[in-house]
């Protein structure tokens, strides 16, 4: 006999590229009931594709009785406010990273969540890519031994007008590249190494004519001195993603995220007892990215099983704490 699963009513606030990805990934467990966006035409376009209702005011969507889960995929300046209102309305929330522009902005959200029974997931989506799931499996098996350090790079290619987009406006974004792609690398590093108790770095604007950083450099350490060397850039000129995880018995080399970032790959370099050139095992994932669907399925299970999401507000707070400390060290005002 097939087990019937609860279908959750979903509302999406922010119907741009990410909102559309979230809608497509709802699967059989989520049903899109409502859409809202500052650009009403975008909300209408997404709603029409799913037979959903359009709301001109996101607050009305949050209060819509059929909506049990709210997905917040707006610009950074409204992530925290919408999440807080949704929590107070008794809705479960998936909010895109970084969940707020600053730790101070996130604190009321955490306070509201602490007084509520709803589940809050923060969209650190990269955890759910096939190569990252494989890396997690290998690390958890213990074959790499104790982890020593991580080296990672993540970069955007250039496009005309990049410095005129919303990411270049401090009040909307809360910063530049460090708070854009930086949270993904920080979160992935924490996922493998644990909490960082020491953070150093430098954010700087090298190329783009904008008041936010276009490159961020980080060196993060745990209590055990496990270290993450991270670089995020929007002067990469060719989209790229690289993450290397070093253990005492070998290393993992991950590259690509699909699409313009290249085929998703992972190579496992296995140290031999006699050392020398390692054995290698590799995997490639040329198929369509399923990370969005896997992430949402996990969140729906979190709600159904009444368990705490693995990527939640605490993880967002830890990431934002590091981002803020490096902006302060670099003399940047994030505008929030």
């Amino acid at each position: 006999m097939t087990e019937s699963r609860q279908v959750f009513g979903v509302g999406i606030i922010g119907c741009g590229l990410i909102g559309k990805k979230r809608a497509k990934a709802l699967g059989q467990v989520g049903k899109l009931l409502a859409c809202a966006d500052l650009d009403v035409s975008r909300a209408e376009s997404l709603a029409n594709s799913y037979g959903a209702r359009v709301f001109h005011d996101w607050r009305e969507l949050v209060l819509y009785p059929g909506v049990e889960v709210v997905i917040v995929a707006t610009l950074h300046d409204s992530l925290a406010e919408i999440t807080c209102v949704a929590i107070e309305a008794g809705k479960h929330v998936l909010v895109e990273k970084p969940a707020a522009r600053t730790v101070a902005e996130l604190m009321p959200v955490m306070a509201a969540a602490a007084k509520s029974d709803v589940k809050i997931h923060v969209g650190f989506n990269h955890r759910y890519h096939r190569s990252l799931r494989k890396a997690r499996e290998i690390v958890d098996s213990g074959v790499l031994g104790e982890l020593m350090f991580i080296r990672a790079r993540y970069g955007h290619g250039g496009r005309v007008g990049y410095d005129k987009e919303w990411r270049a406006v401090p009040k909307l974004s809360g910063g530049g590249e460090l708070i854009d792609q930086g949270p993904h690398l920080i979160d992935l590093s924490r996922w493998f190494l644990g909490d960082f108790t020491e953070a150093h770095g430098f954010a700087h604007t090298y190329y783009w004519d904008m008041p936010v950083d276009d490159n961020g450099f980080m060196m993060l350490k745990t209590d055990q001195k496990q270290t993450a060397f991270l670089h995020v850039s929007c002067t990469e000129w060719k989209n790229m993603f690289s993450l290397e995880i070093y253990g005492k018995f070998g290393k993992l080399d991950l590259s690509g995220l699909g699409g313009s970032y290249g085929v998703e790959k992972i190579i496992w370099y296995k140290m031999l007892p006699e050392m020398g050139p390692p054995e290698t095992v590799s995997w490639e994932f040329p198929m369509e990215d399923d990370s969005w669907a896997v992430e949402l399925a996990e969140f729906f299970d979190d709600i159904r099983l009444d368990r705490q999401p693995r990527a939640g507000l605490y993880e967002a707070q830890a990431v934002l704490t590091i981002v803020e400390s490096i902006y302060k060290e670099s003399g940047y005002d994030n505008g929030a």
Side-chain angles (χ1 to χ4, degrees), residues 57-303:
D57 184 341
W58 63 261
R59 291 177 182 273
E60 293 181 6
L61 181 151
V62 167
L63 296 174
Y64 187 48
V67 171
E68 301 163 275
V69 178
V70 174
I71 294 175
V72 187
T74 62
L75 306 188
H76 294 175
D77 65 326
S78 55
L79 293 173
E81 179 188 11
I82 296 172
T83 301
C84 205
V85 171
I87 292 170
E88 291 169 350
K91 313 292 184 177
H92 305 289
V93 182
L94 188 157
V95 56
E96 297 299 341
K97 64 81 188 167
R101 293 171 296 177
T102 64
V103 173
E105 197 171 60
L106 188 67
M107 295 310 291
V109 183
M110 298 183 76
K115 296 184 289 186
S116 173
D117 292 329
V118 300
K119 307 300 178 190
I120 314 299
H121 175 93
V122 178
F124 290 115
N125 170 261
H126 287 24
R127 293 186 180 204
Y128 300 91
H129 275 266
R130 285 184 171 91
S131 60
L132 271 302
R133 280 144 48 194
K134 187 65 180 178
R136 182 80 263 176
E137 175 189 319
I138 294 170
V139 168
D140 288 347
S141 75
V143 295
L144 291 185
E146 182 183 352
L147 298 186
M148 300 184 296
F149 60 91
I150 283 174
R151 182 169 59 201
R153 296 168 294 150
Y154 195 7
H156 279 306
R159 56 178 176 264
V160 174
Y162 189 91
D163 54 338
K164 302 296 190 293
E165 298 176 8
W166 70 269
R167 289 178 179 85
V169 181
K171 286 191 177 297
L172 298 180
S173 62
E177 181 66 2
L178 187 62
I179 202 171
D180 183 19
Q181 290 189 312
H184 283 305
L185 289 192
I186 298 169
D187 178 67
L188 290 175
S189 299
R190 288 188 67 256
W191 194 37
F192 288 108
L193 298 182
D195 282 328
F196 294 114
T197 54
E198 189 177 337
H200 301 284
F202 178 59
H204 189 66
T205 310
Y206 287 96
Y207 177 85
W208 294 104
D209 181 16
M210 58 187 187
V212 296
D213 51 294
D214 58 23
N215 278 265
F217 307 88
M218 293 164 272
M219 186 173 75
L220 316 176
K221 299 179 188 177
T222 69
D223 272 340
Q224 292 73 41
K225 304 305 178 185
Q226 296 163 300
T227 302
F229 300 89
L230 312 177
H231 176 208
V232 290
S233 173
C234 54
T235 61
E236 191 65 42
W237 309 138
K238 167 66 176 72
N239 286 355
M240 70 91 67
F241 175 83
S242 170
L243 178 76
E244 298 167 283
I245 304 171
Y246 292 79
K248 291 189 173 180
F249 305 139
K251 74 173 250 189
L252 301 178
D253 184 354
L254 290 77
S255 61
L257 291 171
S260 62
Y261 285 89
V263 174
E264 207 170 322
K265 303 176 184 178
I266 178 170
I267 304 173
W268 173 16
Y269 295 96
K270 303 166 67 175
M271 183 192 293
L272 300 174
E274 66 274 22
M275 301 192 75
E279 289 184 357
T280 62
V281 182
S282 63
W283 296 263
E284 288 194 5
F285 305 101
M287 61 285 284
E288 185 179 358
D289 173 23
D290 68 347
S291 62
W292 304 92
V294 172
E295 181 179 16
L296 269 169
E298 180 183 280
F299 183 44
F300 289 141
D301 280 345
D302 291 338
I303 298 169

